[in-house]
């Protein structure tokens, strides 16, 4: 097991290193002179020079990269050019909207998909299965931001159960915070839950066709017992992969959903930064998102090890 | 051969939208560059089957023009994904276990850490928003999808005896990949292509919704929804129509993909025979 | 005392009849074997007794186990019977166990599902049962996972699960087909011992007449869903009253008539060949260990000679084959064909390779399903500098197909239009089309039913009479190797332990391993006084 974890850890660090090089190259090398790009064509030479100094652009590329990475490791993401505040502080505020939103949506997706997938698989070909599969077919096809608009029209404007937008803040209590994230989380989660349900069902059905299920039935387990005790845990292996992928979709999808609900999260921050051409902010937030995705994949890899003994024990 | 219901429904829906996009090149009910402010936000009527938007443009015409954008972006993005991903996957499978395989697969994992939206943000931040950038962003994300799938499919073919027979007949791995592997994973790629096409439609809509996709005056479903957001309370059709159009297009493609899989998957056919 | 009585069982899936009016009985403590070729319905009969037939079948007749009719028993009551009164062992031990659960838990589950005993107690009984089937807990702790065990060991776990509650009836569906001969012998002895010790009825399904003859008290011969003959084993095999039994017996002990080989002149020379593979790393940066798959192997195959190669799985047969075919380099030694090396300078030597061809085991994966037969069998033309074109090509195709007993018009068909035996003929046609000096048969008849196998072996002998054909015949089946080769190599753990004329090696083996192999492989009883084995 230690060897497995160590191996994954090395791969995690390598991924982070390569990802940071890619992001740094796209943002700081491809545009040529980032300062000129940020200020636009009408910039005065002295402001341009000042920005160059501020960004440390006079140093060689390798040094700038090392300084950038070293800063991030210590929690220093630089200073936003437009807001004149440390980016770390801006991120710290906003990550407490975006991350809970993604986790809330992931929880919903799993809570919906697991029972639905198991239900459909255990009633294969019957009415319940057809109903679930029909719904997922539509769920997969719905754009989450449009679904969000529909939810607002129904639950915020018509029924007034939830706020149409904005974030109450965690200082108003857990419930108030969760309440303002509920519609966004549902909008994010339902299409993903539809995908996860389909994966869960087909993975379970694959497992139910395996020889060891027949062995279990020969021992005297009923269909239901064989499904719960033997098929489910094996079926989780592909499902875990999808859950890992979904987290990255949810983080990214959150950027869009934050637009619909006017949530002060990383998505809003990044769009304001794009329109203000604040490259330093874009660079940092993208790196943070990629970091989160890679971390989640690491956790998923560890979960594999827990579920599948073939990975953790050598032959 | 019996065609499944999902194949027929999916094919009809897909052909319908492809047809609408094709017709829009020669004819649309109204000219969408002409604004008719007095006729704004009209509900669906005989003249305007899907109503008009906040600038009095005919929504049906907008939808037809938008279909062009959606289909073009998704199609080209799938093309990028297939064109680069399948050769990479075949190469990785042919050199299974080598450092090259390892590099290709690690590279794939890395791209998966950049959701297409994040790639789009990076590209837009540096080059500005455009439909081409949307195509590149979605296309880059498609590459590892096809690379992984074609590698997995190719590996299962490589383990078959007829590949050994081909090697005994002196064929190189490149030739085997083209002659024996590719035809046998072609179906798999077509099915996945339909699925990625539908995901491309969704991604394009999301990107144009947040302003990172096609720019005005190019019509696009995502931007129609962005424009409609503040009007949803007073004129619901403005928000409902483009959304439903996306749902039906994606639904059609997914049903087509499912139907094709049932039709083309040799495992299923063996059971039916 | 009759334990199981199947009375006039008929079974169909939709409109497709599978079983027809099957009747048989198993007594307590008795071993009854159902035998027959593929498609005879033997496995479906076993599943019907378990009440585990696929959905959507219709049955008539009765399956009475100890007074209970399985066919009319509701599912919950059947669950209570399975594992408790009837146990079952399956063919494929590699996939029969849940990969994510330890073996102790899986055996204990049989106990816990039927009896309310504490977990520790169930595990203790599981340990005792595993010990009984030859997996003592000190060497095979209960927390082992299936992937840490070999095929034979896994099959023992499956048996322990099936007999944990000492059922009255044990059904074993081809329990040793996926195993090596020596493992097979151990498992068969174990099953016989258990039936005797527990007074358990054993219903065994096997396609292998020799296994059945070795083990069963009574046999039931099935053909296309019908019972054609049944009775005490020795009587059925000796009298062979039904023509199908006779045909099956003849095919199982089929001897072919090989022409005498020409005077020895070396064709293939394998000299001091070794090949090893890197093992996965044990620690992150530690050195990689090496597995020596083939060590210091030397032999010569003469022109027109039929050489056999026998050994169990993992003995290095496949590695050696790949090296001979020039698919992989060797680390030491040299392989030459007519004096020219098969592997030169990081590449297979194509001039040498065009003189070699191969026929594989699995007739279903040996062909690209998307190509027609003409394209399939002409693939070796790729090795020629000037491949035949047009009429010349078609003439070659027609003659190759005719050589293997197929019709030239078959060239336009796809491979799925042929049966397993026909596919192996097409594989031989592909091997013959370049008129190679040497053909490697890699378990080429192992996947075929006995009657089809006999025909393919006759075809080989025929070909040997028509042209100077030299081949290396690799097989785990000693009986087949004995009849189809002039000399034989015995391989164990990467080394050749014995080499000599086939008859001599089989009749007077000199190496202990050869003796073990021969003793372990089941043999049909010899009724030579009735001289019904074969026509010349």
């Amino acid at each position: 097991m230690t060897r497995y974890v160590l191996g994954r850890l090395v791969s995690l660090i390598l991924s982070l290193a390569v990802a940071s090089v890619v992001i740094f190259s796209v943002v700081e090398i491809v545009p040529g002179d980032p300062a000129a790009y940020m200020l636009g064509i009408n910039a005065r030479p002295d402001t341009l020079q000042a920005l160059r100094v501020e960004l440390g652009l006079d140093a060689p590329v390798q040094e700038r990269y090392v300084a950038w990475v070293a800063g991030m490791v210590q929690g220093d993401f630089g200073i936003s050019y437009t807001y004149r505040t440390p980016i770390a502080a801006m991120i710290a505020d906003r990550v407490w909207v975006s991350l809970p939103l993604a986790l809330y949506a992931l929880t919903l997706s799993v809570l919906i998909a697991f029972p639905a997938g198991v239900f459909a698989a255990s009633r294969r070909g019957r009415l319940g299965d057809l109903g679930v599969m029909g719904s997922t077919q539509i769920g997969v096809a719905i754009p989450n931001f449009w679904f969000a608009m529909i939810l607002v029209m129904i639950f915020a404007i018509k029924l007034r159960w939830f706020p149409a937008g904005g974030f109450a803040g965690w200082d108003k209590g857990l419930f108030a915070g969760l309440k303002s994230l509920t519609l966004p989380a549902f909008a994010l989660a339902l299409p993903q839950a539809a995908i996860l349900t389909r994966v869960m069902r087909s993975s379970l059905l694959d497992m139910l066709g395996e020889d060891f299920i027949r062995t279990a039935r020969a021992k005297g387990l009923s269909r239901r017992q064989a499904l719960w005790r033997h098929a489910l845990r094996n079926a989780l292996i592909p499902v875990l992969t999808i859950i890992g992928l979904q987290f990255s979709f949810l983080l990214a999808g959150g950027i869009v959903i934050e637009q619909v609900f006017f949530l002060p999260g990383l998505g809003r921050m990044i769009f304001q930064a794009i329109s203000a051409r604040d490259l330093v902010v874009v660079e940092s937030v993208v790196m943070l998102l990629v970091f989160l995705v890679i971390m989640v994949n690491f956790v998923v890899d560890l979960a594999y090890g827990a579920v599948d003994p073939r990975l953790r024990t050598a032959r | 051969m019996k065609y499944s219901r999902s194949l027929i429904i999916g094919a009809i829906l897909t052909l319908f939208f492809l047809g609408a996009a094709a017709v829009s090149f020669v004819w649309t009910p109204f000219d969408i560059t002409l604004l008719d402010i007095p006729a704004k936000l009209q509900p669906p009527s005989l003249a305007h089957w899907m109503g008009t938007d906040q600038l009095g443009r005919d929504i049906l015409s907008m939808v037809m023009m938008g279909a062009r954008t959606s289909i073009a972006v998704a199609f080209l993005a799938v093309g990028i994904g297939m064109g680069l991903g399948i050769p990479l996957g075949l190469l990785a499978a042919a050199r299974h276990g080598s450092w090259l395989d390892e590099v290709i697969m690690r590279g794939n994992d890395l791209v998966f850490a950049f959701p297409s939206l994040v790639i789009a943000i990076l590209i837009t931040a540096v080059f500005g928003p455009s439909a081409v950038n949307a195509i590149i962003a979605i296309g880059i994300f498609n590459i590892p999808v096809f690379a992984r799938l074609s590698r997995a499919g190719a590996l299962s073919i490589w383990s078959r005896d007829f590949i050994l027979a081909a090697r005994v007949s002196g064929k190189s791995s490149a030739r085997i990949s083209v002659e024996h592997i590719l035809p046998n994973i072609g179906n798999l790629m077509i099915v996945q292509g339909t699925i990625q096409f539908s995901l491309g439609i969704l991604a394009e809509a999301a990107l144009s919704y947040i302003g990172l996709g096609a720019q005005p005056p190019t019509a696009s479903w995502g931007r129609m929804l962005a424009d409609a957001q503040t009007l949803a309370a007073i004129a619901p059709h403005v928000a409902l129509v483009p959304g439903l159009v996306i749902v039906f297009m994606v639904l059609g493609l997914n049903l087509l993909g499912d139907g094709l899989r049932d039709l083309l998957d040799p495992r299923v056919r063996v059971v039916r025979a | 005392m009759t334990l199981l009585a199947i009375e006039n069982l008929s079974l169909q899936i939709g409109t497709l009849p599978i079983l027809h009016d099957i009747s048989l009985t198993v007594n307590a403590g008795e071993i009854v074997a159902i035998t027959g070729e593929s498609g005879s319905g033997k496995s479906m009969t076993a599943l019907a007794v378990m009440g585990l037939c696929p959905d959507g079948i219709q049955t008539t007749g009765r399956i009475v186990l100890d007074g209970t009719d399985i066919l009319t028993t509701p599912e919950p009551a059947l669950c209570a019977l399975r594992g408790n009164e009837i146990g079952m062992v399956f063919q494929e031990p590699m996939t029969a166990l849940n990969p994510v659960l330890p073996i102790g838990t899986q055996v204990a589950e049989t106990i816990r599902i039927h009896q309310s005993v504490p977990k520790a107690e169930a595990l203790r009984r599981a340990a005792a049962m595993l010990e009984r089937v030859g997996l003592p807990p000190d060497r095979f702790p209960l927390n082992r996972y299936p992937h840490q065990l070999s095929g034979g060991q896994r099959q023992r776990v499956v048996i322990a699960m099936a007999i944990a509650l000492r059922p009255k009836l044990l059904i074993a569906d081809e329990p040793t087909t996926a195993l090596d001969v020596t493992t097979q012998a151990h498992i068969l002895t174990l099953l016989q011992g258990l039936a005797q010790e527990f007074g358990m009825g054993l219903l065994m399904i096997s396609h292998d007449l020799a296994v059945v003859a070795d083990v069963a008290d009574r046999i039931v011969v099935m053909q296309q869903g019908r019972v054609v003959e049944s009775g005490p084993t020795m009587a059925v095999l000796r009298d062979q009253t039904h023509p199908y039994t006779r045909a099956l017996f003849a095919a199982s002990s089929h001897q072919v008539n090989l022409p005498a080989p020409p005077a020895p002149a070396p064709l293939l020379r394998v000299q001091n060949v070794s090949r090893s593979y890197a093992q996965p790393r044990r620690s992150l940066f530690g050195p990689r260990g090496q597995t020596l798959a083939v060590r210091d192997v030397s032999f010569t195959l003469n022109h027109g000679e039929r050489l056999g190669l026998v050994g169990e799985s993992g003995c290095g047969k496949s590695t050696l084959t790949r090296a001979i075919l020039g698919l992989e380099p060797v680390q030491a030694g040299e392989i030459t064909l007519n004096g020219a090396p098969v592997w030169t300078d990081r590449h297979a030597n194509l001039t040498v390779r065009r003189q070699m061809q191969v026929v594989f085991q699995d007739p279903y994966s040996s062909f690209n399903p998307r190509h027609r037969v003409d394209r399939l069998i002409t693939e070796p033309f790729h090795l020629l500098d000037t491949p035949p074109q047009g009429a010349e090509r078609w003439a070659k195709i027609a003659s190759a197909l005719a050589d293997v007993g197929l019709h030239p018009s078959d060239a336009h068909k796809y491979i799925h239009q042929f049966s397993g035996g026909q596919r192996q003929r097409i594989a031989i046609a592909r091997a013959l089309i370049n008129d190679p000096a040497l053909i490697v048969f890699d378990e080429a008849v192992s996947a075929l039913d006995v009657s089809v196998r006999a025909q393919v072996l006759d075809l080989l002998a025929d070909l040997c009479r028509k042209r100077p054909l030299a081949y290396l015949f690799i097989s785990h089946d000693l009986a087949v190797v004995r009849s189809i080769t002039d000399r034989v190599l015995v391989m164990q753990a990467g080394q050749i332990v014995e080499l000599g004329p086939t008859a001599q090696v089989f009749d007077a083996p000199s190496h202990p391993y050869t003796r073990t192999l021969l003793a372990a492989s089941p043999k049909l009883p010899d009724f030579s006084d009735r001289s019904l084995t074969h026509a010349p």
Side-chain angles (χ1 to χ4, degrees):
Chain A
M1 187 73 191
T2 334
R3 198 186 142 218
Y4 175 73
V5 175
L6 276 178
R8 296 288 90 203
L9 208 58
V10 168
S11 143
L12 166 92
I13 291 164
L14 277 178
S15 305
L16 283 175
V18 179
S20 65
V21 171
V22 170
I23 294 171
F24 183 83
S25 312
V26 170
V27 176
E28 298 215 16
I29 299 176
V30 175
D33 182 354
Y37 178 82
M38 285 168 74
L39 292 177
I41 39 172
N42 299 325
R44 280 169 35 205
D46 52 332
T47 16
L48 201 59
Q49 189 51 39
L51 182 59
R52 283 209 188 100
V53 172
E54 186 189 324
L55 296 178
L57 291 182
D58 31 9
V61 169
Q62 315 86 285
E63 273 177 38
R64 275 158 55 199
Y65 171 74
V66 171
W68 178 58
V69 172
M72 279 193 301
V73 170
Q74 293 160 13
D76 174 14
F77 288 79
I79 307 283
S80 160
Y81 177 70
T82 29
Y83 291 96
R84 295 281 153 199
T85 45
I87 296 172
M90 293 169 67
I91 288 178
D93 284 347
R94 286 159 173 84
V95 85
W96 288 113
V97 176
S98 295
L99 205 54
L101 176 60
L103 289 175
Y104 193 176
L106 190 68
T107 315
L108 283 176
S109 167
V110 170
L111 285 181
I112 296 168
F114 267 54
V118 173
F119 174 82
S122 63
R123 285 184 188 11
R124 179 185 198 169
R126 287 196 263 162
L127 206 60
D129 181 24
L130 294 179
V132 170
M133 291 311 282
S135 327
T136 61
Q137 196 63 270
I138 293 173
V140 171
I142 295 179
N144 55 20
F145 61 93
W146 180 66
F147 188 53
M149 287 163 64
I150 304 286
L151 287 180
V152 170
M153 281 164 73
I154 298 172
F155 292 100
I157 296 173
K158 276 253 159 27
L159 298 173
R160 298 183 179 277
W161 289 357
F162 292 95
F167 182 61
W170 295 112
D171 44 348
K172 301 255 168 57
L174 186 66
F175 182 75
L178 282 182
K179 192 174 172 187
S180 41
L181 291 184
T182 297
L183 285 188
F186 262 100
L188 267 176
L190 279 187
Q192 297 298 318
I195 295 174
L196 199 59
T197 304
R198 295 176 78 86
V199 174
M200 184 80 205
R201 171 183 178 272
S202 73
S203 175
L204 262 177
L205 288 180
D206 282 354
M207 286 306 145
L208 286 175
E210 289 287 328
D211 281 357
F212 64 81
I213 293 297
R214 197 179 51 182
T215 314
R217 297 272 286 133
K219 277 197 239 179
L221 274 75
S222 67
R223 263 173 220 272
R224 182 176 295 264
Q225 284 170 323
L227 188 149
W228 283 102
R229 296 192 194 183
H230 291 277
L232 198 58
R233 191 156 157 205
N234 282 284
L236 279 183
I237 296 169
V239 169
L240 275 175
T241 314
I242 304 299
I243 291 182
L245 276 180
Q246 287 209 340
F247 186 77
S248 65
F249 279 112
L250 290 172
L251 265 179
I255 296 176
V256 181
I257 294 296
E258 283 170 17
Q259 292 294 101
V260 183
F261 289 93
F262 309 105
L263 292 174
L266 292 173
R268 305 271 300 164
M269 180 172 165
I270 215 168
F271 285 116
Q272 284 156 0
I274 288 177
S275 43
R277 299 195 168 194
D278 195 339
L279 284 186
V280 193
V281 171
V282 173
E283 187 182 45
S284 307
V285 177
V286 166
M287 186 65 221
L288 179 75
L289 289 175
V290 171
F291 171 78
L292 288 173
V293 171
I294 291 177
M295 283 309 291
V296 168
N297 287 336
F298 175 67
V299 173
V300 166
D301 279 345
L302 294 191
Y304 278 145
V307 173
D308 192 345
R310 284 164 293 191
L311 287 177
R312 72 183 116 97
T313 44
R315 192 172 268 272
Chain B
M1 199 176 307
K2 190 177 170 292
Y3 297 109
S4 66
R5 207 178 326 164
S6 60
L7 183 76
I8 294 168
I9 299 175
I12 289 174
L13 276 173
T14 308
L15 284 176
F16 177 77
F17 281 104
L18 289 178
V23 168
S24 76
F25 280 99
V26 290
W27 176 80
T28 50
F30 290 85
D31 185 346
I32 63 161
T33 55
L34 294 181
L35 309 185
D36 186 8
I37 308 289
K40 70 175 181 178
L41 296 179
Q42 282 181 3
S45 63
L46 271 181
H48 300 280
W49 289 5
M50 293 181 179
T52 59
D53 72 356
Q54 73 283 3
L55 299 176
R57 292 174 296 186
D58 178 49
I59 292 184
L60 175 59
S61 308
M62 300 267 291
V63 164
M64 286 170 73
M65 299 296 280
R68 246 153 75 171
T69 316
S70 281
I71 290 170
V73 169
F75 184 81
L76 291 172
V78 171
I80 292 176
M82 280 188 163
L84 294 173
I86 296 176
L88 281 175
L90 289 177
L91 185 62
R95 297 275 174 273
H96 179 51
S98 73
W99 61 268
L100 189 64
D101 182 21
E102 190 69 15
V103 167
I104 292 174
M105 292 322 287
R106 291 300 132 233
N108 277 334
D109 290 349
L110 190 72
V111 177
F112 266 129
F114 291 80
S116 55
L117 208 68
V118 174
I119 300 177
I121 286 171
L122 265 183
I123 296 178
T124 314
V126 177
F127 299 102
S130 73
V132 174
N133 290 346
I135 293 170
I136 295 173
I138 303 169
I140 289 179
F141 191 71
N142 275 339
I143 296 171
V145 173
F146 284 102
R148 274 191 188 188
L149 191 69
S150 57
R151 177 177 175 273
L155 281 182
S156 78
I157 307 285
W158 269 101
S159 69
R160 304 249 215 113
D161 285 343
F162 70 80
I163 300 298
L164 266 183
R167 291 180 62 201
V168 170
S169 296
K171 292 192 171 162
S172 65
S173 51
R175 193 178 172 124
I176 289 174
S177 291
V178 172
E179 194 171 305
H180 288 297
I181 310 283
L182 198 54
N184 280 296
I185 62 169
N187 289 343
L188 194 64
M189 295 301 124
I190 291 170
V191 170
Q192 192 63 35
T194 357
I195 306 295
Q196 292 309 118
F197 197 107
S198 78
L199 291 176
I201 300 275
L202 283 173
E204 191 276 335
L207 288 178
S208 11
Y209 172 77
I210 53 177
L212 301 186
Q215 297 300 301
T218 315
S220 123
W221 295 342
R223 232 199 21 271
M224 288 170 75
L225 284 171
D227 293 342
Q229 191 173 349
T230 48
L231 306 164
I234 42 172
H237 72 276
V238 193
L240 286 177
V241 169
L244 285 174
V245 165
I246 297 173
V247 170
F248 278 112
M249 169 102 219
V250 173
L251 187 64
L253 283 166
N254 284 339
L255 288 174
L256 181 66
D258 282 5
L260 282 176
R261 185 178 52 217
D262 294 348
L263 188 72
L264 299 175
D265 190 335
R267 279 180 305 174
V268 180
R269 194 150 44 178
V270 167
V271 174
R272 281 191 189 154
Chain C
M1 179 201 125
T2 304
L3 177 66
L4 172 75
I6 300 180
E7 296 163 10
N8 310 103
L9 172 69
S10 294
L11 186 154
Q12 52 182 23
I13 300 177
T15 53
L16 183 75
I18 306 287
L19 298 178
H20 246 283
D21 210 18
I22 306 283
S23 294
L24 63 91
T25 60
V26 180
N27 296 328
E30 185 187 39
I31 301 179
V32 175
I34 305 181
T35 190
E37 296 184 293
S38 47
S40 63
K42 32 187 211 307
S43 289
M44 191 57 86
T45 310
L47 287 176
V49 176
M50 290 299 286
L52 282 179
C53 283
D55 293 335
I57 56 142
Q58 302 105 48
T59 49
T60 56
R62 276 153 49 89
I63 301 176
V64 183
L65 176 80
D66 215 18
T68 315
D69 185 355
I70 301 279
L71 293 180
T72 58
T73 306
E75 177 64 22
L78 279 181
C79 284
L81 276 181
R82 291 187 206 115
N84 201 4
E85 306 272 312
I86 337 170
M88 184 153 179
V89 177
F90 300 96
Q91 171 171 355
E92 192 41 77
M94 304 311 273
T95 52
L97 293 168
N98 187 338
V100 302
L101 292 180
I103 57 171
T105 312
Q106 298 198 49
V107 177
E109 188 179 33
T110 309
I111 301 166
R112 284 173 42 96
I113 199 110
H114 293 288
Q115 299 175 359
S116 55
V117 294
K119 194 172 181 186
E121 161 73 7
L123 280 173
R124 199 189 52 71
R125 284 169 61 184
M129 207 42 89
L130 281 168
E131 172 134 40
R132 173 63 191 87
V133 299
L135 300 174
D138 49 332
R139 283 178 53 222
F140 301 94
L142 295 179
N143 58 10
R144 282 289 168 91
Y145 286 95
H147 70 272
Q148 298 167 305
L149 304 177
S150 72
Q153 289 160 355
R154 291 187 207 192
Q155 196 64 308
R156 287 172 193 270
V157 177
V158 176
I159 293 172
M161 272 170 24
I163 59 157
L165 292 172
R166 302 189 169 223
K168 296 184 184 121
L169 176 69
L170 180 65
I171 301 174
D173 185 3
E174 304 273 4
T176 58
T177 305
L179 304 174
D180 279 329
V181 275
T182 48
T183 319
Q184 161 167 292
H186 292 142
I187 296 287
L188 291 176
T189 315
L190 172 67
L191 287 172
Q192 273 179 301
L194 289 169
Q196 204 171 25
E197 183 185 328
F198 295 175
M200 183 171 67
L202 174 59
L203 180 64
M204 195 167 106
I205 318 292
S206 177
H207 70 283
D208 189 334
L209 214 51
V211 165
V212 168
D214 252 12
V215 176
D217 300 318
R218 284 193 301 122
I219 67 174
V220 176
V221 182
M222 282 182 72
Q223 182 195 18
Q224 289 171 1
R226 292 168 200 273
V227 172
V228 297
E229 194 171 2
S230 66
T233 306
M234 281 307 134
V236 168
L237 292 183
R238 191 180 55 240
D239 302 341
Q240 300 178 12
T241 40
H242 195 277
Y244 182 69
T245 314
R246 209 172 307 145
L248 209 54
F249 192 89
S252 300
S253 53
H254 188 69
Q255 296 289 316
V256 298
N257 228 353
L258 282 180
L267 169 66
L268 174 79
R269 260 181 203 279
V270 175
Q271 284 166 304
N272 308 103
V273 162
S274 294
R275 172 86 173 106
S276 58
Y277 293 102
Q279 289 167 343
R281 286 174 212 279
R282 290 215 170 271
S283 65
L284 207 52
F285 301 103
R288 297 182 118 179
Q290 299 280 316
T291 313
L292 208 52
V294 170
R295 50 179 104 180
D296 202 21
V297 163
S298 301
F299 67 89
T300 303
L301 194 158
N302 293 316
H303 278 281
E305 185 184 35
R306 283 79 53 155
L307 182 65
L309 172 57
V310 298
E312 296 185 294
S313 52
C315 73
K317 283 182 300 195
S318 322
T319 306
L320 185 59
T321 315
R322 283 198 296 272
I324 290 173
L325 290 170
L327 294 176
E328 281 179 11
V330 296
Q331 271 121 2
E334 195 179 33
I335 304 174
T336 56
L337 190 79
N338 279 329
V342 298
W343 185 272
T344 41
D345 191 29
R346 304 187 61 205
H347 279 288
N349 185 339
L350 291 190
T351 43
V352 170
R353 198 187 268 176
R354 75 179 54 147
Q355 302 174 50
M356 288 194 288
Q357 270 301 321
V358 61
V359 177
F360 297 107
Q361 169 173 7
D362 183 0
Y364 293 89
S365 83
S366 288
F367 303 97
N368 187 339
R370 308 206 160 260
H371 294 169
R372 290 176 204 270
V373 167
D374 66 312
R375 186 163 174 196
L376 291 172
I377 66 171
T378 54
E379 186 156 48
F381 283 170
H382 185 74
L383 288 163
L384 305 179
D385 298 324
T386 49
Q389 304 284 337
E392 193 196 348
R393 175 173 174 271
W394 283 107
K396 284 232 176 201
I397 293 170
S399 108
L401 287 175
D403 279 348
V404 297
L406 293 171
H407 196 269
S409 66
D410 288 332
H412 304 289
K413 294 182 184 163
Y414 284 102
I415 197 69
H416 66 256
Q417 294 169 277
F418 296 92
S419 70
Q422 288 172 322
R423 289 179 195 209
Q424 277 321 59
R425 287 171 188 266
I426 294 171
I428 295 171
R430 172 167 66 189
L432 289 173
I433 201 145
N434 274 354
D435 225 344
L438 171 69
I439 299 183
V440 175
F441 290 97
D442 188 355
E443 300 277 2
V445 297
S446 304
L448 304 176
D449 273 330
V450 276
S451 53
V452 180
R453 172 191 305 174
Q455 291 161 10
V456 172
L457 292 177
D458 279 338
L459 170 67
L460 285 188
D462 243 16
L463 290 171
C464 288
R465 278 190 286 272
K466 285 186 196 147
R467 58 173 89 196
L469 187 63
Y471 56 73
L472 179 65
F473 194 95
I474 301 158
S475 180
H476 70 280
D477 187 330
L478 301 187
V480 169
V481 171
R482 173 160 204 167
S483 85
I484 198 77
T485 62
D486 305 312
R487 282 196 307 148
V488 65
L489 302 161
V490 182
M491 242 182 128
Q492 184 201 14
Q495 286 176 303
I496 290 180
V497 296
E498 188 158 1
L499 164 62
T502 305
Q504 186 189 319
V505 170
F506 279 68
D507 292 334
S510 65
H511 193 275
Y513 178 70
T514 317
R515 272 180 241 136
T516 317
L517 265 189
L518 283 167
S521 51
K523 277 169 271 310
L524 278 174
D526 189 9
F527 302 113
S528 46
D529 53 315
R530 289 197 42 168
S531 71
L532 36 66
T533 40
H534 61 98

